Amino acid sequence: MSAPRTARQRVRDELTREIKDVARRHLAEQGSAALSLRAVARELGMASSAVYRYFATRDELLTALIVDAYDSVGEAAEGAEAKVDRGDLLERWLQTAVAVRGWALGHRYEYELIFGSPVPGYAAPQVTIDPAARIPLLLVGIVRDAGGPGEIGSVPEVPEEVPEPVRADLSGLAELLELAAPPAVVAEMLMAWTGLIGCISFEMFGHLVGSVTDYDTYFRYQMTTTGRRLGLDRNQRVGTS
Amino acid sequence: MSAPRTARQRVRDELTREIKDVARRHLAEQGSAALSLRAVARELGMASSAVYRYFATRDELLTALIVDAYDSVGEAAEGAEAKVDRGDLLERWLQTAVAVRGWALGHRYEYELIFGSPVPGYAAPQVTIDPAARIPLLLVGIVRDAGGPGEIGSVPEVPEEVPEPVRADLSGLAELLELAAPPAVVAEMLMAWTGLIGCISFEMFGHLVGSVTDYDTYFRYQMTTTGRRLGLDRNQRVGTS
DNA sequence: TGTACATCAGTGAACGCGCGTTCACTGATGTAC
DNA sequence: TGTACATCAGTGAACGCGCGTTCACTGATGTAC
């Protein structure tokens, strides 16, 4: 039950990884629709039926790739965010965003796999939930560091009440995340996360063609504005609560 | 060259429409990947080769559906926006947003077709550009009505300079749209448009599962906040510039 | 109004392709005594 | 250390499927005189 026991097991793990690697490359070249078990098997020089010893079905292989993609982008973002001075909240957010975009540009079809339209006939299973949360959790961490309980309460421009059902959702979410932030701030956080992916998708899917030419600068500008809106430029962490 | 001349031509137009209708239904049921010329022909009781008299290729049929989808959502949004009192800018924006979301929920795969990941191996041709602009242009119109030249210049919270290359892009865009708004406002507009689609996509693609339960109220709240940010609650149109 | 020819819609068979998945099998690796 | 049996990886053929696109053709609709 501990580390790779038998030699057989080690070979198995390795081949599993090799299959995923080849599949990922095929995905990267032609998109998820074109991903075929047979093609992967062919490239590995094995019978197509042999792949079934490793993945019971095409969907299972897809799921593995999805999980890996989430982990891959999560790791990239975490790595970039960790390099920034803890006290510089705005920069932590900005570097997170930039890392996600960089990853997306370099992994077009993997990005589509997780943030594009869902693969038809495919239902994302439970296993994908945790890895999918890594980036949002990064943002949560930054907002959490923005202040002890109450401190961030004086949020910028939220001129109106949050309507009741949403208030409930967002308070629940804050509680779950152990975040001492009022609903309006949680809403801003969700919108920041939405805007981050929205910006990247708009760029990658061609919805900004004709409007923007310097995507790099444009993205940084929008994300900086977004971070400011969350109050990340004003609040520095001040000791322990 | 004027209206449907010969009887033959009229029949042709009708069948073209029928093919698109059936194709759209297939699309609506199973997504674009599953859309097949043969299946469409089968349902219409004609030989699969006959469809080629109407669309030279599968991609051409897809393009027609994309154009129709853009027009469909554009029309829905324009209709909703037009019903609102011209002076109530925030409500005009909100109703636009709500209409787009309503359309998306009712036309899942058509929405994916235009705002999800691009169909692999398919390059959107020129014809799709104009219909794609209808909704953004609606937003432009609202912002334009927000004030004469300079009036909207005192934009809310934009604490920093817009960096140069982006400034150029956005000024150019403003000029093109005959919009007397500073770059920062144009940027906010783009972000509002991005956030609108981002919100809807997040909901439809399942990225908010576990965080939000009352999507309807959540969406209205976020879009209201977005509209406020653009200053749509403060500025009412005041006569002619 | 009537005939001769051109245009076009629709047919049906065929080409060539690749896919996911199953199944009975061989042969190698691991395990228990 | 050596043998007997169980487990598992991988094979190759097959099932059954549907797809986009082409091509030579028939027959109906339109046009020009």
Side-chain angles (χ1 to χ4, degrees):
Chain A
M1 303 234 166
S2 56
R5 290 167 311 200
T6 72
R8 200 182 239 171
Q9 183 66 35
R10 250 177 301 135
V11 170
R12 181 171 231 287
D13 292 347
E14 199 165 322
L15 233 175
T16 307
R17 225 205 41 238
E18 249 177 285
I19 291 174
K20 283 202 292 181
D21 285 348
V22 171
R24 187 170 13 251
R25 241 201 25 255
H26 285 203
L27 180 77
E29 277 157 19
Q30 336 190 35
S32 69
L35 179 70
S36 115
L37 280 188
R38 291 185 102 112
V40 170
R42 219 177 292 130
E43 176 161 341
L44 286 169
M46 66 203 303
S48 62
S49 49
V51 178
Y52 285 81
R53 296 268 167 217
Y54 297 85
F55 298 93
T57 177
R58 198 190 97 115
D59 275 5
E60 210 171 87
L61 176 55
L62 256 186
T63 301
L65 292 180
I66 289 176
V67 169
D68 283 3
Y70 273 126
D71 276 330
S72 171
V73 65
E75 207 172 300
E78 284 166 12
E81 197 263 355
K83 285 208 194 91
V84 180
D85 168 27
R86 297 291 83 191
D88 194 344
L89 303 176
L90 183 58
E91 191 66 16
R92 279 167 69 188
W93 158 248
L94 189 61
Q95 289 309 316
T96 301
V98 166
V100 174
R101 173 167 176 267
W103 182 90
L105 292 179
H107 301 79
R108 176 151 200 159
Y109 289 113
E110 284 178 82
Y111 177 84
E112 284 190 6
L113 197 57
I114 56 184
F115 292 118
S117 10
V119 177
Y122 170 84
Q126 294 284 335
V127 254
T128 60
I129 293 183
D130 280 1
R134 288 176 71 166
I135 297 175
L137 279 182
L138 220 44
L139 174 54
V140 168
I142 298 171
V143 171
R144 191 185 286 125
D145 286 355
E151 286 188 34
I152 206 185
S154 62
V155 117
E157 46 293 322
V158 187
E160 201 189 345
E161 294 294 303
V162 181
E164 187 38 53
V166 177
R167 182 170 219 93
D169 277 349
L170 298 179
S171 309
L173 196 58
E175 199 159 341
L176 188 80
L177 298 168
E178 305 183 8
L179 201 59
V185 172
V186 180
E188 284 293 347
M189 247 179 52
L190 279 179
M191 202 57 211
W193 167 225
T194 305
L196 165 58
I197 298 303
C199 255
I200 297 174
S201 293
F202 259 35
E203 172 181 352
M204 300 225 330
F205 299 167
H207 293 289
L208 294 177
V209 171
S211 303
V212 175
T213 57
D214 186 339
Y215 287 103
D216 207 273
T217 315
Y218 172 78
F219 180 76
R220 291 178 112 97
Y221 172 73
Q222 294 287 24
M223 288 303 108
T224 305
T225 306
T226 302
R228 286 231 167 73
R229 191 167 295 141
L230 264 169
L232 297 182
D233 55 338
R234 273 170 272 177
N235 297 273
Q236 303 288 99
R237 178 207 227 144
V238 213
T240 43
S241 100
Chain B
M1 303 235 168
S2 54
R5 289 167 311 199
T6 70
R8 200 184 240 170
Q9 184 65 35
R10 250 177 301 134
V11 170
R12 182 170 231 286
D13 291 348
E14 199 166 320
L15 232 175
T16 307
R17 226 203 41 237
E18 249 177 284
I19 291 174
K20 285 203 290 182
D21 285 348
V22 171
R24 190 172 8 256
R25 239 197 31 252
H26 285 203
L27 181 76
E29 276 157 19
Q30 337 190 34
S32 68
L35 179 68
S36 116
L37 281 188
R38 292 187 100 112
V40 170
R42 219 177 293 131
E43 178 162 338
L44 286 168
M46 66 203 303
S48 62
S49 48
V51 178
Y52 283 82
R53 296 269 168 216
Y54 296 85
F55 298 94
T57 177
R58 199 191 97 114
D59 275 5
E60 210 171 88
L61 176 56
L62 257 186
T63 300
L65 292 180
I66 289 176
V67 169
D68 283 3
Y70 273 126
D71 277 329
S72 171
V73 65
E75 206 173 302
E78 285 166 11
E81 198 263 356
K83 285 208 195 89
V84 181
D85 169 27
R86 296 292 82 191
D88 194 344
L89 302 175
L90 184 58
E91 191 66 15
R92 279 166 70 187
W93 158 249
L94 189 61
Q95 289 310 316
T96 302
V98 166
V100 174
R101 173 168 176 266
W103 182 89
L105 293 178
H107 302 79
R108 178 155 198 157
Y109 288 113
E110 284 179 82
Y111 177 85
E112 284 190 5
L113 196 58
I114 56 184
F115 292 117
S117 9
V119 176
Y122 171 85
Q126 293 284 336
V127 254
T128 60
I129 294 183
D130 280 2
R134 287 175 72 166
I135 297 175
L137 279 182
L138 220 44
L139 174 54
V140 168
I142 299 172
V143 171
R144 192 184 287 125
D145 285 355
E151 284 188 35
I152 207 183
S154 62
V155 114
E157 47 292 320
V158 187
E160 201 188 345
E161 294 295 301
V162 181
E164 186 38 53
V166 177
R167 181 170 220 94
D169 278 350
L170 299 179
S171 309
L173 197 58
E175 199 158 342
L176 188 80
L177 299 167
E178 305 183 6
L179 201 60
V185 173
V186 180
E188 283 293 346
M189 248 181 50
L190 278 179
M191 201 58 211
W193 167 226
T194 304
L196 164 58
I197 299 303
C199 254
I200 297 175
S201 293
F202 259 36
E203 171 181 353
M204 300 223 331
F205 299 167
H207 293 289
L208 294 176
V209 170
S211 302
V212 175
T213 56
D214 185 340
Y215 287 102
D216 207 273
T217 315
Y218 171 78
F219 179 76
R220 291 179 113 95
Y221 172 73
Q222 293 287 25
M223 287 302 108
T224 305
T225 306
T226 301
R228 286 230 167 73
R229 191 165 296 140
L230 264 169
L232 297 183
D233 55 339
R234 272 171 273 178
N235 297 273
Q236 304 288 99
R237 176 206 229 147
V238 213
T240 44
S241 104

